[in-house]
Amino acid sequence: MDRAAFDGLTDRLVAWASDAPGVLGLLLVGSAAGTTHEPDGWSDHDFFVIAEPAVAPALRASAAWLPVPQGAIVLHEQDTAHGAWAVLDDGHLLEYAVFAPDELALSRSGALRVAVDRLGDLEARMAPTLAPPRRDPASIASALLRAALVGAGRAARGERLVGRRHLGDAAGALLALLALEGAPDALDPWRRVEQHRPAIAAALDRELARGDASAASAFVALAADLFAHEPWWPRALADAVRPRIEAAGRPRAAGG
């Protein structure tokens, strides 16, 4: 969807929320908010609708209210207690959640703009939801090392697919540690790493593409370079697993 069409759909959502019975607000989320980054040709429409409790269930269960041409919706599905998604016939994706006012504390967003506020205090209500709960870095680092250890062992055994799954978990943990220092997307540390930390993004991309046991060694080495100076770094665990991970990445002798 080009920018003009994207903005046109946003405008129609705003107009709908301004007049629809029982609708109390519209919050644009992610690139649709335009606060930290502008939408591009690959952006989805992400938004929250605030509605009266009697109205909210119907908005989740049906997409008939979406301000798009008749017949344009090829799929609509409610996939969580509050959220749903729809795909248009041009492939454009809309992901949204509908909250009653007393459910707003359940929402989370890294970038948000109040587009319609019929309550008068949505900005204040949403302020506590803009950042996820802070995680313990020591626990994340331990999860990184555990995932690298298991991934290296599986890959060395020849189970490359499951090994890649664990290596992906290790990469995700490393990105979660980096996100504690600041990230362009507070909820998804994988987002926009290429723009925010290009060298690290390139290293992770290279090792994930390789996907073997030596990639696990590279993840652990990178994590140690970045975080071993921190007081929370699990040194004893790192010292215990690193030789085994490195051994898994070394070529085996013929017949061994």
Side-chain angles (χ1 to χ4, degrees):
M1 181 174 281
D2 64 30
R3 182 61 186 270
F6 189 98
D7 290 345
L9 178 50
T10 300
D11 292 342
R12 295 195 299 276
L13 283 167
V14 171
W16 167 83
S18 299
D19 297 328
V23 172
L24 304 172
L26 175 69
L27 308 174
L28 301 174
V29 179
S31 56
T35 55
T36 58
H37 48 274
E38 294 292 320
D40 60 24
W42 302 104
S43 294
D44 311 322
H45 261 93
D46 300 305
F47 57 95
F48 298 156
V49 175
I50 316 306
E52 294 174 355
V55 173
L59 296 177
R60 300 175 188 126
S62 170
W65 55 271
L66 285 172
V68 298
Q70 186 174 5
I73 298 171
V74 298
L75 177 69
H76 171 265
E77 181 177 85
Q78 182 177 346
D79 57 344
T80 68
H82 298 90
W85 60 291
V87 179
L88 305 185
D89 54 8
D90 62 358
H92 188 63
L93 174 65
L94 299 91
E95 294 184 291
Y96 65 93
V98 183
F99 298 101
D102 63 356
E103 296 173 327
L104 283 174
L106 301 174
S107 67
R108 286 290 179 268
S109 175
L112 181 149
R113 176 166 61 88
V114 177
V116 175
D117 184 359
R118 296 164 75 177
L119 287 170
D121 62 351
L122 275 179
E123 191 111 17
R125 288 174 182 249
M126 295 306 299
T129 75
L130 291 176
R134 184 167 177 83
R135 298 173 60 189
D136 173 37
S139 296
I140 301 174
S142 295
L144 186 161
L145 294 167
R146 182 177 68 248
L149 176 65
V150 176
R154 299 294 186 271
R157 185 185 287 156
E159 299 178 56
R160 290 181 59 87
L161 291 179
V162 71
R164 284 176 184 268
R165 187 185 75 192
H166 290 288
L167 292 175
D169 291 341
L174 192 149
L175 290 172
L177 288 173
L178 289 171
L180 296 178
E181 302 173 353
D185 191 315
L187 298 183
D188 186 354
W190 290 83
R191 297 292 307 278
R192 296 181 171 83
V193 184
E194 290 82 1
Q195 291 78 37
H196 192 58
R197 296 179 181 269
I200 290 174
L204 292 180
D205 187 43
R206 181 177 61 251
E207 299 305 331
L208 285 172
R210 188 166 60 177
D212 58 12
S214 60
S217 294
F219 287 153
V220 172
L222 178 58
D225 288 344
L226 293 169
F227 306 115
H229 65 283
E230 298 286 357
W232 45 258
W233 177 254
R235 290 173 181 78
L237 177 62
D239 290 344
V241 304
R242 193 164 187 172
R244 184 171 177 86
I245 291 171
E246 291 173 349
R250 288 195 288 268
R252 293 188 177 185

